[in-house]
Amino acid sequence: QVQIVQSGGGLVQPGGSLTLSCAASGRVFRIYDMAWYRQFPGKQREFVASVSSSGTTNYMDSVKGRFTISRDNTKNTMYLQMNSLKPEDTAVYYCNVEVYGADHSRYADWGPGTQVTVAS
């Protein structure tokens, strides 16, 4: 079973920056894609950005040029650097990690989520 710990988030003024972290641990043999999603109240989670094990990245259009996703494979940790934040970025941010576990199964799991609030 993979354990996922998220950190970062909080309150920031419009135009400000925040960095989110997502660390995976536990009985896993390999970590594949890692991704960030966000969820607005009353809405479904939406894809924000992803990074493959080889470093290939993808972003939703509204965050391109403002957010940067990265990962450190030596630490099994993913980051989301968020710059030029807007009030419409306010949401709960979740990380999603796809792993090959010690039970020889491939699956994806979610982090607990972290609140990001952009307000003056």
Side-chain angles (χ1 to χ4, degrees):
Q1 188 78 13
V2 62
Q3 286 83 49
I4 301 172
V5 176
Q6 294 186 222
S7 60
L11 173 64
V12 64
Q13 292 186 342
S17 299
L18 282 175
T19 301
L20 306 182
S21 300
C22 169
S25 63
R27 301 185 65 207
V28 297
F29 289 143
R30 183 173 176 179
I31 297 177
Y32 297 98
D33 288 358
M34 303 178 82
W36 290 100
Y37 287 72
R38 64 188 183 186
Q39 188 168 21
F40 305 108
K43 303 289 186 181
Q44 289 188 332
R45 290 181 193 177
E46 65 176 20
F47 171 83
V48 176
S50 67
V51 57
S52 71
S53 56
S54 62
T56 300
T57 59
N58 284 291
Y59 297 91
M60 69 181 301
D61 287 345
S62 64
V63 306
K64 286 180 180 177
R66 299 189 299 122
F67 291 9
T68 302
I69 190 171
S70 62
R71 64 189 282 173
D72 183 340
N73 290 331
T74 65
K75 298 179 180 179
N76 292 337
T77 300
M78 170 180 63
Y79 307 94
L80 186 68
Q81 174 67 44
M82 303 183 292
N83 298 326
S84 302
L85 281 161
K86 304 175 181 180
E88 51 264 42
D89 294 316
T90 296
V92 178
Y93 285 70
Y94 296 89
C95 69
N96 182 273
V97 180
E98 185 179 11
V99 305
Y100 185 78
D103 61 353
H104 303 285
S105 68
R106 182 168 175 168
Y107 62 94
D109 207 350
W110 294 95
T114 186
Q115 176 71 44
V116 171
T117 302
V118 185
S120 55

